[in-house]
């Protein structure tokens, strides 16, 4: 079954699911729990050692200068990271709101709404405290209760005006209330708070539904309140939902915002809050709504002043209205502010009232939606995916909320059917399924953007070279110049299908080298076209009849502003390929298109102050860009990533893995030229011709402060696995010559790689430096991925198990009693490798990846013990407060670096390992005679020579040269 068949079947079955199968008041059988009176735990960030400060000083200075100059220019470019910016981080995060790629609003387990991410690169950390659920209860015996259902924030207590939200009843303690989280759902159980005889359960849900590419894109969340009266008298209950007209930060004070009532339909009442954003951002409309039933009455307060100039109907007036009357039925709308004034903010409220008889249950349902149809970058604007279903006029918020109130039961049933089998698997430790699902929060709050289509495009014309009907060259290989001879022009090899296979000349039908070189020749002939502009839009690789699902972006981290950082996506991608495979293939097509791009425009490098071209033909980019994604790739500029050794192999491995999962032959054929070119590009890093690439003495891989020289366990293993994956992919597309050729190269490189074996593990590298014998946790990344792809192992199974046991005993168990995860580097002496910042860190996503590798080697107990360290430090009640913001790393004391990071999605690599058969899907290959591959070798080496980077000239300043020399001497 192809990916399209699978998703069609899934969507067809979803349409038949009916509401009412899941009890919204009952939390899932396994959840992440916190008491609502849990106190805020100040987060502890990592610190640099003196040696590291000195080593990173030049980079830090350049980054500071870049940030300062960017702030002075005010052009919104920004930098990849601003380490000097102060953040407001909470240790109380819970399940965030909304679908995928339409913006995100975070929520704490105590009930605050915070971490607003509605626009690219903007994350407003602080809560908007007017956004609350509150309850008012009265009984016939005169007992009354009223409170905001959230412990008071110290900022609220500062409001002494008497008219603002500080005048509300903030008397909720939370000592008897418990929060349960299992993403994308959450339950808050108020057990006898504030009324001892009334149990209130709030069930929160957002439509994150695997293999669903419609509802999963919706910017909406639904809150279902179940009221259970255990008392002997009836309880009159009013639930209040208040929302400020704000997009976080001080945006609510900018003025000119206004609110309007929704049209009542299907018993659904609500208010639209129209926010006129500043600083060139697109306007946003929020909708808050509730559904009226036979037992529930809904009324609304369209507008009240929450802060600033308290003329007119104030937050205090609104609160007293509900407290005294139980609804807004008596409200005179003429009193209400029509819009907000500068330096003042307004809000809206929905009140849902019900009488709950003794021993009875009533249900009240609210929805929150927002409509921000455009996502704006500096040069281009895109529509978000959900606009395909609701339009792009900015008036869809109330329709989205309306539909959510009617359809959320179907979402619940689909999510339940996805999650319950994993929750019921008794072979799994309890922490694992809870963390497995909750780490998916990043698909929403990782700055994700899911586009529908481009609506503003500047001067773009895709180059369309003429198709060659036959090769005019005697050897079938057109003469071309080395790519280094072409300067100043940005171009891309054409990615459309040629007709050469259908014109009767089949002599080169499966000769990839000829096809690649023909593409190059035709594009180079047109390279001087001044209107040409290239991009990494993978939609050009879609075959006729294939659905364009849109483009997908997500940040490396909320502090690290680069989209689709590929060396990190290598770990995180298992979540996408297992749950949203069409999004994964879309992302992969973009990178396949990017491989074919050449962009010689120079950029400044932060590491040494030199300049380098933005992107070379054949190199997989570090990221798809940030300021102008798809058009200006490689926003990362610490090093020249064209010379990194892990990106190209990771591309090849992920492509093949995705073909294995989806069985999508169209995808395989479309990206095969990019795979071939990516492999040929790497040949320049095999300096001695032994078949193995060598690292070049700087951090030329994902560990970008950890230098490596020569043959290395990490990059070398990825290269060996990629050679085998390239051979297997060639077989998928019917290229027998390349299948045999890459297989022979795999066998050759595998022999060289084995020389790193020291008897118990694989050395970090073969340079004989101080860190060469370091025990790297990630040393078998290539082996892990080969197993995940169903390929043959790249090392003997006994050696793999020995190396992983070494990692477990040293990197895992010698750090924090096995409750931290796997430290990146450990010396044979049992001491942490202190050669650099990253060697002494524990990387959460790498720990999950190592555990996945252990599972593939049938070391199940060891795998769960290894991965449990991430749970213990990140998610447990005794941990660091990193739930729903798992950082990239922490040190041996649990102090974090880079909160809310992409790589921890790698926990889904563990799930992939647990669910896949242990046997290889490859057939043993007969011996191939090298002489039969001469033609393949000639073509491949000619492509490799074409792609060779120009010789680097040392343009560092004399001070930088002296500094680098001194640092190098100290580490030798």
């Amino acid at each position: 079954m192809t990916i399209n068949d699978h998703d069609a079947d899934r969507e067809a079955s979803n349409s038949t699911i009916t509401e009412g199968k899941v009890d919204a008041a009952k939390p899932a059988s396994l959840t992440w729990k916190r008491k609502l009176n849990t106190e805020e735990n100040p987060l502890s960030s990592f610190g640099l050692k003196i040696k590291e400060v000195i080593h990173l000083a030049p980079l830090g200075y350049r980054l500071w200068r870049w940030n300062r100059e960017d702030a002075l220019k005010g052009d919104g470019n920004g930098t990849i990271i601003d380490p000097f910016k102060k953040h407001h981080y909470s240790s109380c995060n819970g399940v965030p709101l909304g679908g995928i790629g339409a913006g995100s609003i975070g929520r704490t387990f105590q009930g605050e709404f915070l971490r607003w991410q509605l626009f690219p690169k903007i994350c407003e950390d602080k809560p908007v405290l007017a956004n609350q659920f509150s309850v008012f209860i009265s009984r016939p015996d005169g007992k009354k209760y009223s409170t905001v259902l959230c412990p008071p924030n110290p900022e609220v207590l500062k409001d002494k005006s008497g008219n603002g939200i500080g005048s509300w009843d903030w008397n909720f303690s939370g000592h008897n209330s418990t929060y349960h989280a299992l993403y994308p759902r959450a339950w808050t159980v108020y057990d006898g708070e504030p009324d001892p005889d009334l149990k209130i359960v709030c069930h929160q849900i957002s439509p994150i539904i695997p293999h669903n590419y419609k509802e999963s894109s919706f910017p909406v969340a639904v809150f279902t309140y179940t009221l259970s009266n255990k008392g002997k008298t009836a309880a009159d209950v009013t639930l209040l939902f208040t929302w400020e007209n704000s997009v976080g930060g001080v945006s609510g004070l900018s003025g000119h915002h206004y609110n309007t009532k929704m049209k009542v339909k299907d018993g659904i009442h609500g208010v639209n809050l129209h926010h006129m954003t500043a600083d060139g951002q697109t306007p946003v409309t929020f909708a808050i709504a509730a559904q009226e039933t036979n037992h529930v009455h809904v009324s609304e307060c369209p507008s009240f002043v929450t802060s600033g100039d308290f003329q007119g109907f104030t937050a205090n007036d609104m609160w007293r209205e509900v407290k005294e009357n139980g609804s807004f039925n008596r409200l005179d709308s003429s009193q209400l502010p029509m819009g907000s004034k500068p330096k003042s903010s307004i809000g809206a409220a929905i009140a849902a009232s019900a009488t709950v008889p003794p021993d009875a249950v009533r249900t009240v349902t609210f929805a929150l939606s927002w409509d921000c149809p455009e996502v704006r970058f500096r040069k281009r604007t895109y529509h978000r995916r959900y606009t395909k279903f609701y339009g792009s006029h900015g008036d869809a918020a109330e329709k989205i909320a309306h539909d959510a109130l009617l359809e959320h039961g179907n979402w619940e049933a689909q999510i339940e059917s996805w999650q319950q089998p994993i929750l019921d698997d008794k072979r799994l430790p309890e922490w694992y399924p809870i963390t497995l699902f909750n780490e998916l929060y990043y698909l929403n709050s990782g700055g994700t953007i899911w586009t529908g289509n481009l609506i503003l495009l500047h001067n773009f014309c895709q180059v369309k070279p003429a198709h060659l009907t036959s090769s005019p060259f005697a050897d079938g290989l057109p003469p071309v110049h080395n790519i280094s001879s072409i300067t100043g022009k940005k171009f891309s090899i054409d990615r459309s299908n040629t007709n050469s296979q259908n014109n009767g000349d089949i002599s080169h039908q499966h000769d990839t080298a000829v096809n690649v070189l023909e593409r190059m020749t035709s594009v180079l002939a047109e390279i001087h076209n001044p209107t040409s502009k290239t991009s990494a839009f993978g939609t050009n690789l879609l075959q006729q009849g294939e659905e364009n699902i849109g483009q997908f972006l997500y940040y490396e981290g909320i502090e690290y502003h680069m989209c689709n950082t590929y060396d990190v996506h290598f770990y995180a991608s298992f979540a996408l390929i297992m749950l949203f495979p069409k999004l994964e293939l879309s992302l992969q097509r973009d990178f396949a298109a990017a491989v074919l791009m050449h962009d010689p425009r120079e950029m400044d490098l932060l590491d040494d102050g030199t300049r380098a071209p933005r992107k070379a033909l054949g190199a997989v980019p570090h990221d798809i860009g940030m300021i102008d994604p798809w058009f200006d790739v490689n926003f990362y500029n610490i090093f020249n990533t064209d010379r990194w050794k892990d990106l190209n192999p990771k591309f090849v491995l992920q492509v093949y893995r995705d073909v294995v999962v989806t069985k999508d032959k169209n995808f395989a054929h479309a990206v095969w030229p990019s795979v071939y070119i990516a492999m040929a590009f790497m040949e320049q890093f095999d300096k001695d011709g032994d078949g193995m690439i060598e690292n070049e003495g700087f951090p030329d891989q994902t560990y970008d402060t950890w230098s490596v020289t020569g043959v290395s366990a990490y990059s070398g293993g990825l290269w060996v696995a990629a050679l085998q994956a390239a051979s297997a992919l060639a077989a998928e597309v019917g290229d027998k010559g390349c299948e045999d050729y890459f297989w022979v190269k795999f066998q050759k490189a595998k022999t060289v790689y084995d020389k790193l074996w020291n008897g118990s593990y694989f050395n970090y590298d073969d340079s004989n430096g101080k860190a060469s014998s370091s025990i790297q946790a990630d040393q078998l990344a290539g082996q892990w991925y080969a197993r995940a792809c169903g390929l043959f192992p790249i090392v003997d199974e006994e050696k793999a198990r020995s190396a992983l046991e070494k990692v477990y005993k040293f990197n895992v168990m010698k750090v924090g009693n096995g409750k931290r995860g796997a430290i990146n580097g450990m010396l044979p002496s049992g001491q942490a490798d202190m050669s650099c910042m990253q060697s002494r860190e524990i990387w959460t996503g790498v720990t999950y990846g190592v555990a996945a590798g252990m599972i593939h080697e049938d070391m199940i107990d060891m795998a769960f013990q290894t991965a449990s360290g991430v749970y213990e430090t990140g998610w447990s009640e005794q941990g660091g407060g990193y739930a729903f913001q798992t950082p990239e790393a922490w040190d041996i004391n649990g102090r974090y670096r880079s909160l809310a990071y992409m790589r921890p999605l790698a926990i889904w690599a563990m799930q992939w390992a647990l669910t896949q058969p242990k046997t290889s899907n490859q057939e043993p290959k007969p011996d191939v005679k090298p002489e039969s591959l001469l033609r393949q070798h000639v073509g491949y080496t000619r492509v490799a020579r074409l792609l060779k980077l120009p010789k680097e000239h040392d343009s560092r300043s004399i001070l930088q040269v002296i500094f680098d020399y001194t640092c190098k001497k100290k580490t030798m």
Side-chain angles (χ1 to χ4, degrees), residues 421-422 424-430 860-861 864 911 914-915:
I422 297 176
D424 290 341
D425 190 340
K426 302 305 180 184
R427 298 171 300 172
L428 306 174
E430 280 194 5
I860 308 295
D861 292 342
F864 282 123
Q911 187 64 16
L914 287 166
T915 56

Side-chain angles (χ1 to χ4, degrees), residues 78-99:
T79 56
I80 59 174
I81 181 175
D82 185 357
F84 313 103
K85 179 181 178 180
K86 291 185 177 180
H87 295 274
H88 177 88
Y89 289 141
S90 170
S91 65
C92 300
N93 284 284
V95 172
L97 312 177

